[in-house]
């Protein structure tokens, strides 16, 4: 699409008026445009502004985690997050020590970027990453339930700071045990962003100890050997066929 001097001038005027808080109808009247033309220009200005914003600074459209994600964790220093997860107080909520996080950020007008993280909060940290995907904003109404279809309860809306804390601090916990996060985390973390410095502290591990539950693609013998080396005998639990 060829951009003329007239287009550039209009975009500059629209940008100035938007910064002053003018609505599309006011812009249309002031510039002698049809409402549809003014709306299209406002959209172009918004998209251009977003293009210059880092992915982790774009507006959050939604952020979720599965109910029961905090079961077995030490949440004494994060009481508000614990209170928001009533299922986490149950002895066996059936979540298996996983926090499944989904984040949606504004990409451009009517488009969002969604990124997902499957976090083993008992031992291994980030097990899997859903690569950033751009979709229509309306698609979230079907995508979110599908993403959490393996769980019996609806996901909990959370703040992005909580998501950042769960992901990054679980990675640090797992690294301390000798485990690296799944591939693709670096690309996804660009959209997630770093957690704030004054974030609440979550005590990972099940009831204060690393707990390894072998998955279908793990080498359980190797995993247990790593825990034996980093934690010492009796300082971790596991369920695995060796």
């Amino acid at each position: 699409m060829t951009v003329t001097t007239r287009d550039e001038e209009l975009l500059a005027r629209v940008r100035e008026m938007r910064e002053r808080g003018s609505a599309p109808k006011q812009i249309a009247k002031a510039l002698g445009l049809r409402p549809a033309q003014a709306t299209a220009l406002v959209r172009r200005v918004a998209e251009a502004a977003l293009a210059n914003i880092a992915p982790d600074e774009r507006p959050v459209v939604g952020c979720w985690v599965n109910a029961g994600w905090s079961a077995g964790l030490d949440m004494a220093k994060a009481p508000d997050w614990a209170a928001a997860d009533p299922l986490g107080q149950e002895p066996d909520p059936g979540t298996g020590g996983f926090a499944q996080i989904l984040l949606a950020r504004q990409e451009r007008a009517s488009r969002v970027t969604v990124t997902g993280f499957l976090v083993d909060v008992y031992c291994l940290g980030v097990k899997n990453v859903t690569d950033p995907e751009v979709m229509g904003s309306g698609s979230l109404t079907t995508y979110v339930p599908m993403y959490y279809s393996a769980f019996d309860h609806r996901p909990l809306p959370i703040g992005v700071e909580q998501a950042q804390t769960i992901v990054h601090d679980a990675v640090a916990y797992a690294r301390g045990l000798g485990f690296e996060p799944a591939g693709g985390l670096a690309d996804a973390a660009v959209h997630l962003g770093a957690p704030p410095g004054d974030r609440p502290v979550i005590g990972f591990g099940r009831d204060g100890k690393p707990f390894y539950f072998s998955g279908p693609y793990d080498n359980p013998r190797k995993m247990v050997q790593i825990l034996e080396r980093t934690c010492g005998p009796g300082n971790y639990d596991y369920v695995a066929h060796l």
Side-chain angles (χ1 to χ4, degrees):
M1 181 179 65
T2 302
V3 179
T4 65
T5 301
R6 167 65 173 166
D7 290 334
E8 293 177 347
E9 291 174 350
L10 279 174
L11 285 171
R13 291 287 304 280
V14 170
R15 187 178 300 109
E16 291 172 1
M17 295 185 71
R18 289 296 287 170
E19 289 173 354
R20 295 198 300 268
S22 299
K25 287 184 178 180
Q26 295 172 309
I27 293 172
K29 183 176 181 181
L31 300 182
L33 302 172
R34 296 193 304 274
Q37 289 177 302
T39 299
L41 289 169
V42 167
R43 185 179 296 115
R44 286 175 60 185
V45 166
E47 290 177 356
L50 274 176
N52 295 320
I53 298 176
D56 64 339
E57 294 179 356
R58 294 174 184 176
V60 174
V61 176
C63 190
W64 303 266
V65 69
N66 57 286
W69 72 273
S70 65
L73 304 184
D74 181 356
M75 302 294 291
K77 296 182 179 179
D80 292 343
W81 293 351
D85 181 22
L87 197 63
Q89 307 305 312
E90 296 188 8
D92 184 15
T95 53
F98 284 108
Q100 184 163 299
I101 292 169
L102 185 67
L103 170 67
R105 288 189 185 271
Q106 192 73 50
E107 175 68 22
R108 52 187 183 273
S110 302
R111 306 288 285 177
V112 297
T113 299
V114 295
T115 314
F117 306 84
L118 179 62
V119 186
D120 176 351
V121 294
Y122 287 170
C123 185
L124 301 180
V126 174
K127 288 269 291 182
N128 190 37
V129 175
T130 302
D131 292 335
E133 179 182 353
V134 179
M135 63 179 65
S137 301
S139 298
L140 282 176
T141 57
T142 55
Y143 187 85
V144 174
M146 180 186 69
Y147 188 75
Y148 289 97
S149 60
F151 296 92
D152 294 331
H153 297 80
R154 296 177 63 181
L156 307 171
I158 61 174
V160 69
E161 296 84 2
Q162 182 175 340
Q164 292 165 342
T165 299
I166 294 171
V167 171
H168 287 288
D169 289 2
V171 167
Y173 176 77
R175 279 181 169 148
L177 300 176
F179 304 109
E180 287 298 312
L185 177 61
D187 290 340
V190 170
H191 295 266
L192 177 64
D198 58 348
R199 61 190 179 276
V201 176
I202 297 172
F204 293 95
R206 189 182 70 170
D207 300 326
K209 294 169 65 176
F211 174 72
Y212 168 64
F213 190 93
S214 64
Y217 306 109
D218 291 344
N219 180 338
R221 186 176 298 277
K222 178 181 178 182
M223 299 295 193
V224 172
Q225 288 174 345
I226 291 173
L227 286 170
E228 186 74 8
R229 184 178 68 251
T230 58
C231 299
N235 294 320
Y236 63 93
D237 298 313
Y238 70 92
V239 174
H241 295 289
L242 302 179

